[in-house]
C-alpha cells in the first residue's frame, strides 16, 4: 500500500512538470546558476538573512497559483500585487536581490531566464550556501502576466494555524500533508521572524489569558523580554535558537525541546495524536541525511506546482513588470517573448 501510494504521488508529480528539465538553459544560458549564486554570496556578507528570505519568496510564489513569478509583480493599472497580501506585506523581502540577479542575467542572456526560474534556482543555491543539501532543479518555467492578491490571501499559511489547518493548506496546493509538510517546514532552520508572528503565544494564547503551554518556560521568559506585551512587533529573533544561519536538522531538535518559535512549527511535535507527524520530526532530528533527502524531494515537488511552459506566459524582462507594461502597449515584439 505504501509503495503504491508513493508511486501515485511520483506519477502525479511527473505529469505536473513533464516539460521541465534540468538542462533547459545548458545552451542558452549555461552560467545561470553561477550568476545567481554569486549574487547571493555577495549579499550574504551584509545580510545573513537573505538565503532564508529568498527561499521564502519561492514558497510564497509557488503556493499561489503555482511557481510562475507572480509574487514579484508590482501594482499597476492591470496588476493587483501579491506583495501586499497579508502573508507578504511588510514581511516578504529580497526583491531587490532578485532584481539584481535578473539584470545580470539580462546582460548575459537577454530574454532567456524567467523570473520564476530565478526564484527556484535561488532557493536551491541559498540552501547549499547555508550548508544544506543540493538537488537537481528542473527548469523551463515561464512567467505569469497576472497576479492574484485574493489567491495569496487564501493560500499563504499564517503562523497561527493548527496542525489540521496546516495539513489542509498543503493539500489545497497538491502537496503531501505529511512528508512534504514536515520536510518543508524545516526551511525554518535558518532565518528570522518578527515578534508579531508569535507574540500571541506569549501572553494570551487562544484567548486563555495565559501563554502557550507547549512553549519551553526558559524560551518563554526570553521571548517575553524581547517582545513585551504591546511592544514593537517588528523586532526580529532567530527561528532556530542554536544555529540560526546554518541549514541543518537542529530545527527538529528544537521542536522536541518545545522550542519551536512559531505555532506552526511547534504543532508538528506537540499536537496530541499526530503520531505520524511526530515520527517524522523524530526521524529528521536523529538523521540529518534523511531530512536533507526528504527536503530536496519536497522542494522539487513544490517547485513544480502548475508551471507555465512552452508558449504560456512570457519571459519577463523586468521581474516586477509584465512586458507589455514595460515596453508600452504598442510593443507586440517584447510582449510576446
Amino acid at each position: 500500500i505504501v509503495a503504491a501510494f508513493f508511486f501515485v504521488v511520483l506519477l502525479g508529480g511527473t505529469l505536473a512538470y513533464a516539460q521541465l528539465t534540468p538542462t533547459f538553459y545548458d545552451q542558452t544560458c549555461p552560467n545561470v546558476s553561477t550568476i545567481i549564486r554569486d549574487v547571493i554570496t555577495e549579499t550574504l556578507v551584509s545580510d545573513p538573512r537573505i538565503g532564508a528570505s529568498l527561499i521564502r519568496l519561492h514558497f510564497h510564489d509557488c503556493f499561489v497559483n503555482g511557481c510562475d513569478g507572480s509574487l514579484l509583480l508590482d501594482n499597476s493599472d492591470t496588476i493587483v500585487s501579491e506583495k501586499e497580501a497579508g502573508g507578504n506585506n511588510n514581511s516578504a523581502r529580497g526583491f531587490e536581490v532578485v532584481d539584481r540577479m535578473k539584470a545580470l542575467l539580462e546582460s548575459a542572456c537577454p530574454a532567456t531566464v524567467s523570473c520564476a526560474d530565478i526564484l527556484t534556482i535561488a532557493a536551491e543555491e541559498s540552501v547549499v550556501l547555508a550548508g544544506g543539501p543540493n538537488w537537481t532543479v528542473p527548469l523551463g518555467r515561464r512567467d505569469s502576466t497576472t497576479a492574484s492578491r485574493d489567491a495569496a490571501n487564501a493560500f499563504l499559511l499564517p503562523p497561527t494555524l493548527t496542525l489540521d489547518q496546516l495539513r489542509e493548506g498543503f493539500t489545497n496546493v497538491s502537496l503531501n500533508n505529511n512528508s512534504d509538510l514536515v520536510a518543508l517546514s524545516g526551511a525554518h532552520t535558518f532565518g528570522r521572524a518578527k515578534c508579531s508572528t508569535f507574540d500571541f503565544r506569549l501572553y494570551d494564547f487562544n484567548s486563555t489569558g495565559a501563554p502557550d503551554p507547549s512553549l519551553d518556560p526558559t524560551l518563554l521568559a526570553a521571548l517575553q523580554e524581547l517582545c513585551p506585551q504591546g511592544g514593537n512587533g517588528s523586532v526580529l529573533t532567530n527561528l532556530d535558537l542554536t544555529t540560526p544561519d546554518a541549514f541543518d536538522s537542529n530545527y527538529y531538535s528544537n521542536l522536541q525541546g518545545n522550542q519551536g518559535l512559531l505555532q506552526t512549527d511547534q504543532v508538528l511535535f506537540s499536537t496530541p495524536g499526530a503520531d505520524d507527524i511526530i515520527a517524522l520530526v523524530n526521524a529528521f532530528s536523529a538523521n540529518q541525511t534523511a531530512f536533507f533527502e526528504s527536503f530536496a524531494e519536497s522542494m522539487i515537488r513544490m517547485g513544480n506546482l502548475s508551471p507555465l511552459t512552452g508558449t504560456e506566459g512570457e519571459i519577463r524582462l523586468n521581474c516586477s513588470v509584465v512586458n507589455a507594461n514595460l515596453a508600452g502597449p504598442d510593443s507586440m515584439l517584447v510582449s510576446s517573448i
Side-chain angles (χ1 to χ4, degrees), residues 16-27:
Y17 60 93
Q19 298 181 68
L20 301 181
T21 171
T23 61
F24 189 82
Y25 296 112
D26 280 6
Q27 301 302 317

Side-chain angles (χ1 to χ4, degrees), residues 17-26 29 32-34 36-37 40 55 58 62 67 113-128 133-141 295-305 307:
Y17 60 93
Q19 298 181 68
L20 301 181
T21 171
T23 61
F24 189 82
Y25 296 112
D26 280 6
C29 196
V32 56
S33 294
T34 300
I36 290 172
R37 183 189 315 123
I40 300 171
I55 197 172
H58 182 44
C62 292
C67 310
V113 181
S114 70
C115 300
D117 274 349
I118 290 174
L119 288 182
T120 311
I121 296 169
E124 192 265 351
E125 294 291 348
S126 294
V127 169
V128 172
N134 67 295
W135 58 93
T136 302
V137 181
L139 298 168
R141 298 164 192 78
F295 184 82
E297 292 169 3
S298 293
M299 284 296 291
I300 291 171
R301 274 196 290 273
M302 186 190 75
N304 294 293
L305 294 175

Side-chain angles (χ1 to χ4, degrees), residues 316-318 321-328 334:
R316 275 187 236 138
L317 306 182
N318 179 322
V321 184
V322 298
N323 290 340
N325 290 349
L326 179 68
V334 172

Side-chain angles (χ1 to χ4, degrees), residues 52 55 59 130 133 157-159 161-163 166 170 178-193 201 214-216 219 237-271 277-292 294-295:
I55 197 172
F59 271 66
L157 306 178
L161 300 184
T162 65
L163 179 57
L166 275 178
F170 270 64
N178 186 328
S179 58
D180 286 336
L181 169 59
V182 179
L184 293 176
S185 293
H188 285 173
T189 188
F190 66 164
R192 314 286 187 270
R201 300 183 68 201
S214 70
L215 189 57
D216 171 72
L219 177 59
T237 192
N238 297 326
L239 282 163
D240 183 339
L241 304 176
T242 49
T243 50
D245 296 319
F247 198 97
D248 55 32
S249 61
N250 285 340
Y251 166 82
Y252 300 101
S253 302
N254 293 338
L255 301 187
Q256 292 172 322
N258 291 331
Q259 293 183 330
L261 184 66
L262 305 181
Q263 174 173 310
T264 44
D265 295 324
Q266 194 58 50
V267 294
L268 300 179
F269 189 76
S270 299
T271 300
I277 297 289
I278 293 170
L280 283 171
V281 171
N282 289 334
F284 292 160
S285 175
N287 187 336
Q288 182 166 279
T289 299
F291 163 47
F292 280 7
S294 293
F295 184 82

Side-chain angles (χ1 to χ4, degrees), residues 16-21 24-25 111-112 114 117 139-144 306-316 335-337:
Y17 60 93
Q19 298 181 68
L20 301 181
T21 171
F24 189 82
Y25 296 112
T112 300
S114 70
D117 274 349
L139 298 168
R141 298 164 192 78
R142 288 169 65 86
D143 296 320
S144 171
S306 303
L308 300 176
T309 59
T311 59
E312 299 173 310
E314 64 183 14
I315 304 298
R316 275 187 236 138
S335 63
S336 65
I337 291 174

